Amino acid sequence: MQGFHIKNNLSKHEAIALKELARNPELTIKQADKGGAVVVMNTSDYVKEILRQLSDQGVYCKLSNDPKFEFLRRIRMILDAAKEQGIIDEKLHAFLYVDRPRTPVIYILPKIHKCLTSPPGRPIVSGVGSLFSQIAIFLDRILSPFVKSAKSYIRDSAHFLTIVEQIQLPEHAILASFDVVSLYTSIAHTRVLEAVRMALAGTQYSSQCQEFFMSLLNMVLTCNYFLFQDEFYVQLRGTAIYVKTTDKSTLLKFDNCHPKPMLKSLPYSQLLRVKRIVQDNDLSDRRLEEMSLKFRARGYPKKLVRQHANKVTAFSRQELLLDREIKAPFTRASFLRGCTAPDPFISMGLCT
């Protein structure tokens, strides 16, 4: 855009130092798994942690060559058969088939909240543009309504807090919490397929469509491959690992290059979160004051922070915990309207 100028908030020396760090092969810079911190690691330690995880032969298997073309052949067979049966049309076929896919790669996010000196890593497979990327989007649109109807479904922290507040604990109850170790790599493929098949049974989808979905899902689960240090691996157990959104305690500085409207709204969203989460009124007031001071320390105008704080304190916690997800009942799943792909449910005749 003519006349548009982005202000650089780095000094010349800071910019040079940043480039030198990024180009140093002996250092690896990653975002922390939680908290939003930036972690600078020795590359040797970073690689060692990934290799440690990949050595688990119950989860990963090293391949002798690139499986891309074999997996593409299988995907093509499934899609061609579906098109011949009239389940999908040519446009959806073209959308789902990625003829020039990128190779997925694995990396880790250091869990410095568990150990600062030798942090374990959360493994992430970056599959953007991979041969399964479009199929995953398609299946997500198909299956997400069933996930939301499950008894165990929790939408977000506000939803969780609403559920917890409705629980009546008996006297002398002992509270306990459980954590699943390596959740995403612990899920058996057969159990996933069984659960999805049960969810699809009795729906508006024909038996042919259901088998088409199951064939695609089986490919995504059992052929989840990736590259690390010129070696190909396939994941034997678990689902594809993805980056999750986490709340960051590192607040953006007010003088950085982000759009001002976004920066001006940031105190409101973070203060609102504090008000929603903290139940005790006195403690809530203290936490709101602490959060306001954090924003002031990051250069946010005092008047702006005070306005947002006053606006947030006007709400009751009960108001903020009200169900915010108000949507029309599920009748059909629209899909990528206005994008390159058509609505598959129109072409598949699945609208009811």
Side-chain angles (χ1 to χ4, degrees):
M1 183 183 298
Q2 195 173 25
F4 183 74
H5 176 68
I6 298 177
K7 179 184 177 182
N8 191 337
N9 61 344
L10 293 177
S11 69
K12 181 179 179 180
H13 295 296
E14 288 173 334
I16 293 174
L18 191 61
K19 289 180 180 179
E20 289 178 351
L21 279 174
R23 293 170 181 171
N24 189 340
E26 297 182 359
L27 297 177
T28 295
I29 304 173
K30 292 292 181 183
Q31 177 185 330
D33 179 53
K34 293 181 179 179
V38 176
V39 181
V40 181
M41 295 179 63
N42 291 324
T43 298
S44 58
D45 294 334
Y46 176 82
V47 171
K48 181 180 178 181
E49 171 60 16
I50 296 182
L51 291 177
R52 181 191 68 80
Q53 297 190 27
L54 295 181
S55 66
D56 187 343
Q57 297 181 5
V59 179
Y60 302 105
C61 175
K62 184 186 291 187
L63 304 176
S64 58
N65 51 40
D66 186 353
K68 175 177 63 178
F69 296 107
E70 171 60 21
F71 291 166
L72 279 173
R73 184 188 66 82
R74 296 187 200 176
I75 293 173
R76 188 64 180 258
M77 288 179 60
I78 295 172
L79 298 179
D80 287 350
K83 188 174 71 171
E84 290 177 4
Q85 296 172 17
I87 298 175
I88 62 175
D89 61 12
E90 182 62 38
K91 290 183 179 180
L92 184 54
H93 183 289
F95 173 77
L96 294 175
Y97 185 77
V98 183
D99 58 350
R100 296 181 179 178
R102 296 176 57 185
T103 300
V105 295
I106 191 171
Y107 63 95
I108 59 172
L109 300 180
K111 298 183 178 182
I112 58 174
H113 60 285
K114 293 189 174 182
C115 180
L116 284 174
T117 55
S118 299
R122 179 183 299 278
I124 308 293
V125 174
S126 176
V128 177
S130 70
L131 71 172
F132 293 123
S133 58
Q134 304 302 83
I135 293 175
I137 294 173
F138 177 76
L139 289 174
D140 180 70
R141 295 293 292 201
I142 298 287
L143 300 178
S144 59
F146 303 113
V147 173
K148 295 176 182 179
S149 64
K151 292 182 179 180
S152 59
Y153 172 70
I154 297 178
R155 185 183 67 249
D156 53 23
S157 59
H159 188 200
F160 171 75
L161 291 171
T162 302
I163 295 173
V164 170
E165 291 206 342
Q166 295 173 355
I167 298 176
Q168 298 295 324
L169 292 176
E171 190 176 359
H172 307 304
I174 299 176
L175 301 181
S177 63
F178 298 87
D179 182 27
V180 179
V181 178
S182 303
L183 172 63
Y184 291 106
T185 57
S186 301
I187 302 173
H189 293 158
T190 54
R191 299 296 297 273
V192 175
L193 294 170
E194 289 173 6
V196 172
R197 189 177 291 278
M198 289 178 60
L200 289 172
T203 63
Q204 77 271 33
Y205 303 120
S206 67
S207 59
Q208 284 184 321
C209 286
Q210 292 182 31
E211 288 305 315
F212 173 59
F213 300 154
M214 295 303 299
S215 296
L216 292 179
L217 180 60
N218 184 64
M219 283 289 300
V220 171
L221 290 174
T222 62
C223 301
N224 180 34
Y225 82 105
F226 54 85
L227 180 70
F228 181 69
Q229 288 194 330
D230 299 324
E231 297 281 359
F232 290 95
Y233 297 81
V234 67
Q235 190 171 335
L236 303 176
R237 188 181 69 217
T239 62
I241 311 161
Y242 60 92
V243 182
K244 67 176 182 177
T245 302
T246 58
D247 297 301
K248 298 177 174 56
S249 59
T250 303
L251 303 174
L252 293 172
K253 294 184 69 174
F254 193 70
D255 62 352
N256 71 21
C257 298
H258 285 76
K260 284 301 178 185
M262 189 207 76
L263 292 170
K264 290 180 178 179
S265 65
L266 190 58
Y268 178 72
S269 63
Q270 292 301 304
L271 291 167
L272 203 64
R273 180 176 180 272
V274 171
K275 181 74 173 182
R276 183 184 299 120
I277 291 176
V278 183
Q279 185 176 23
D280 183 86
N281 289 331
D282 293 335
L283 181 59
S284 176
D285 291 339
R286 293 200 299 270
R287 293 289 182 262
L288 288 172
E289 180 61 23
E290 291 171 0
M291 181 62 72
S292 297
L293 291 175
K294 287 182 180 180
F295 277 106
R296 291 288 295 115
R298 302 295 282 178
Y300 287 74
K302 183 177 180 179
K303 182 179 179 180
L304 174 68
V305 175
R306 185 170 59 247
Q307 286 176 343
H308 285 312
N310 291 338
K311 186 176 180 181
V312 168
T313 53
F315 290 107
S316 68
R317 183 168 178 267
Q318 286 67 34
E319 288 179 285
L320 300 179
L321 290 177
L322 291 175
D323 194 342
R324 295 167 295 165
E325 188 176 51
I326 304 174
K327 295 183 179 180
F330 173 74
T331 54
R332 81 180 163 95
S334 59
F335 184 74
L336 298 178
R337 287 193 181 277
C339 297
T340 55
D343 186 330
F345 300 93
I346 294 178
S347 61
M348 294 166 68
L350 296 176
C351 298
T352 57

